[in-house]
């Protein structure tokens, strides 16, 4: 257990710097595709990695009305049963009572028809209160269904505050919309063009086989939370990329959406015409076209391939499900800590170099709380790099690697990913990224 304490010391050190946990509110159309329940289970076993400030039951094109939080309450009961085990394995799991206190109803009706005077909901009030909190971190608000609870919060602030007050409120928000599932997203993007708005459409294709061995044996068989992880009906966990984008695993800075991570990779230039699921236009033909043009951040052309390039997210979930069923620390695997050039945080690092330089990259000091052996893999991540050529990495599976900065890379940047993984069961990963800015 001595090495476990050192991991905690590292986490404490991180927290002394910038507070590392992302602040997050999830809005969910629970009761439509059962995959929201699946994603909520993954969110719960990962809850120590986030500051979850709200869980909001909302509507969307696949569930146009909601009346209560019963389904969410059932999932919270399952979390409460697993909580005593989970907290043995990592610090920072929120208490079930805390999660219950931030679990509320959002809009009960569909789309912009349920936004406006007299339409405030506990969910829209919670979003406003959260954004108003004196906290320098941005507030990520995720739409696993429609976006109208978020729209109501913005509508209310516009009605009741000065332009400056509205601007301040909007500047705190980071909106992440899965697929577009009502007309509220287009309304937000049209009326508040400065708001940070991602609409993710590349959310399928990274998942393990539908209702396959992994799902049955590594997830559903595992205790109270496994029991509430339903079979896949249409797709598996289509909403998980929302919080996976901000999962602090060292891979990306979620504010820099072009970097790419477990939630996908996004074009840092907003585009017009990113449409919702076709159901939205079936409900109302000009539901979104009437707001044309509206601009949002969308996936880069790799789509879900930007997620699929990483191993690790399946095993991460599986290990956390293991945590949920054992009160013995030694009976489950825990993540390694990846150190990059002496830096023990999980921040993306930057350095400058010149053409012809030999840059040394070093993962010495990386540790595993279980005493597992760690493996290393260094790779050039082409897509987010402004340098387009090839980069050869010497000793790319060693603890120390080196790169010769290519001749034609002047003024460009080169993203290098460090993947560390242990030999525990299942293998767990920790990532780091070095962005090398090449002098002009
Ligand atoms: Ca959903
Ligand atoms: Ca381990």
């Amino acid at each position: 257990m001595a090495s476990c304490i050192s991991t905690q010391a590292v986490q404490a050190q991180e927290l002394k710097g910038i507070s590392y946990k992302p602040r997050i509110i999830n809005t969910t159309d629970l009761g439509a595709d059962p995959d929201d329940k699946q994603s909520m289970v993954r969110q719960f076993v990962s809850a120590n990695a986030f500051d979850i400030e709200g869980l909001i039951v909302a509507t969307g094109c696949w569930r146009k009305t909601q009346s209560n939080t019963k389904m969410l309450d059932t999932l919270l009961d399952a979390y409460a049963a697993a909580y005593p085990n989970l907290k043995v394995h990592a610090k920072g799991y929120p208490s079930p009572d805390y999660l219950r206190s931030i679990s509320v109803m959002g809009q009960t009706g569909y789309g912009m028809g349920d936004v406006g005077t007299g339409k405030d909901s506990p969910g829209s009030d919670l979003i406003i209160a959260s954004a108003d909190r004196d906290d320098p971190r941005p507030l990520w608000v995720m739409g696993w269904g429609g976006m109208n609870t978020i729209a109501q919060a913005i509508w209310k602030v516009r009605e009741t505050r000065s332009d400056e007050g509205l601007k301040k409120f909007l500047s705190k928000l980071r909106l992440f919309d899965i697929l577009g599932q009502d007309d509220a997203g287009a309304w937000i993007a049209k009326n508040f063009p400065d708001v940070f708005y991602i609409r993710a459409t590349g959310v399928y294709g990274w998942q393990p086989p539908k209702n396959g061995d992994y799902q049955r044996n590594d997830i559903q068989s595992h205790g109270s939370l496994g029991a509430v992880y339903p079979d896949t009906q249409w797709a598996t966990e289509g909403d998980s990329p929302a919080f996976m984008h901000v999962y602090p695993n060292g891979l990306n800075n979620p504010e820099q959406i072009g970097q790419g991570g477990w939630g996908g990779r996004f074009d840092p230039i907003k585009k017009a015409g990113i449409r919702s699921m076709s159901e939205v236009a079936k409900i109302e033909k000009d539901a979104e076209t009437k707001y044309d043009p509206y601009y949002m951040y969308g996936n880069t052309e790799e789509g879900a391939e930007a997620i699929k390039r990483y191993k690790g997210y399946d095993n991460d979930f599986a290990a956390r499900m293991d945590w949920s069923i054992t009160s013995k620390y030694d009976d489950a695997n825990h993540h390694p800590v990846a150190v990059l050039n002496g830096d023990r945080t999980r921040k993306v690092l930057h350095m400058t170099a010149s053409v012809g330089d030999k840059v040394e990259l070093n993962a010495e000091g990386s540790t595993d709380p279980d005493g597992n052996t760690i493996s290393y893999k260094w790779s050039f991540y082409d897509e987010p790099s402004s340098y387009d050529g090839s980069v050869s990495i010497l000793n790319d599976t060693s603890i120390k690697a080196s790169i010769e900065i290519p001749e034609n890379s002047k003024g460009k940047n080169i993203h290098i990913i460090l993947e560390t993984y242990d030999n525990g069961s299942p293998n767990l990963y920790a990532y780091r990224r070095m962005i090398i800015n090449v002098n002009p």
Side-chain angles (χ1 to χ4, degrees), residues 27-30 32-33 35-36 62 143-146 178 181 238-239:
T27 69
T28 163
D29 60 333
L30 272 171
D33 188 327
D35 75 336
D36 287 65
W62 306 108
W144 301 10
I178 296 285
Q181 300 181 48
D239 300 311

Side-chain angles (χ1 to χ4, degrees), residues 333-334 368 370 372 422:
N333 193 17
H334 307 84
D368 185 86
D370 312 296
N372 296 133
D422 68 16

Side-chain angles (χ1 to χ4, degrees), residues 245 251-253 256-266 300 302 306 309-310 381 384 415 417 433:
H245 174 70
L251 200 46
N252 61 313
N253 172 355
Q256 303 296 321
I257 60 175
Q259 288 183 355
W262 277 5
R265 204 168 80 76
F266 303 92
T300 51
E302 309 100 281
R309 72 193 309 280
Y310 302 105
Y381 190 1
H415 289 230
I417 302 293
R433 179 186 309 233

Side-chain angles (χ1 to χ4, degrees), residues 406-422:
E407 202 56 49
N408 51 351
S409 64
K410 276 185 184 172
K412 306 286 189 183
N413 68 45
I414 294 171
H415 289 230
I416 302 294
I417 302 293
L418 165 65
E419 255 182 328
T420 66
Y421 53 98
D422 68 16

Side-chain angles (χ1 to χ4, degrees), residues 162-386:
S162 64
D163 287 352
E164 203 178 316
L166 173 65
K167 203 172 167 187
K168 187 179 173 205
F169 173 78
L170 294 174
S171 73
K172 297 300 283 292
L173 301 182
R174 306 288 182 273
L175 307 184
F176 194 114
D177 168 2
I178 296 285
L179 291 165
Q181 300 181 48
D182 66 10
D183 54 350
W187 178 83
I188 293 169
K190 178 67 175 186
N191 288 286
F192 309 93
D194 293 334
V195 80
F196 180 107
Y197 196 111
I198 293 174
R199 174 170 283 170
T201 51
V203 299
Y204 300 128
W206 59 272
Q207 288 90 341
K210 183 174 170 175
N211 299 321
D213 289 347
Y214 166 83
Q215 200 169 315
R216 301 236 182 273
N217 303 333
D218 295 338
I219 309 299
Q220 290 177 312
S221 64
H222 280 47
S224 58
L225 284 166
V228 295
Y229 188 100
D231 282 352
T232 299
Q233 191 170 351
W234 289 285
T236 304
E237 287 187 53
D239 300 311
S240 294
F243 60 89
M244 282 163 63
H245 174 70
V246 300
Y247 184 127
N249 56 12
L251 200 46
N252 61 313
N253 172 355
E255 298 271 304
Q256 303 296 321
I257 60 175
Q259 288 183 355
W262 277 5
R265 204 168 80 76
F266 303 92
D267 189 338
I269 296 167
K270 284 183 176 175
K271 275 197 292 272
I274 304 178
R275 300 290 185 217
S276 284
M277 298 181 86
S278 56
E279 188 68 14
V280 170
K282 283 181 199 157
I283 292 167
E284 184 194 349
K285 195 161 176 278
D286 64 344
E288 293 194 298
T289 48
K290 70 185 173 202
Y291 297 116
D292 277 343
Y294 59 87
Y295 296 90
M296 298 169 170
Y297 298 119
N299 285 91
T300 51
E301 61 185 16
E302 309 100 281
E305 291 300 313
I307 303 176
K308 208 174 178 180
R309 72 193 309 280
Y310 302 105
K311 299 191 181 95
Y313 47 77
D314 287 344
N315 287 3
D316 173 85
F317 186 23
R320 289 168 175 281
M321 291 304 288
D322 290 344
W323 299 356
S324 78
I325 56 168
T326 177
S327 62
K328 286 197 188 128
Y329 186 86
D330 292 343
D331 280 355
N333 193 17
H334 307 84
H335 302 75
V337 175
V339 173
L340 177 57
N341 287 10
D343 182 283
R344 303 183 67 83
T345 70
R346 282 178 275 195
K347 286 184 212 164
V348 171
L349 300 186
H350 298 259
M351 66 185 295
T352 44
S354 297
V355 164
D357 282 357
K358 195 176 172 194
V359 170
E360 304 284 346
L361 296 173
N362 187 342
E364 282 176 334
S366 298
T367 54
D368 185 86
D370 312 296
N372 296 133
T373 300
I374 304 176
S375 296
Y376 304 88
K377 174 74 188 158
W378 303 89
S379 61
F380 168 54
Y381 190 1
D382 186 354
E383 286 87 348
S385 302
S386 58

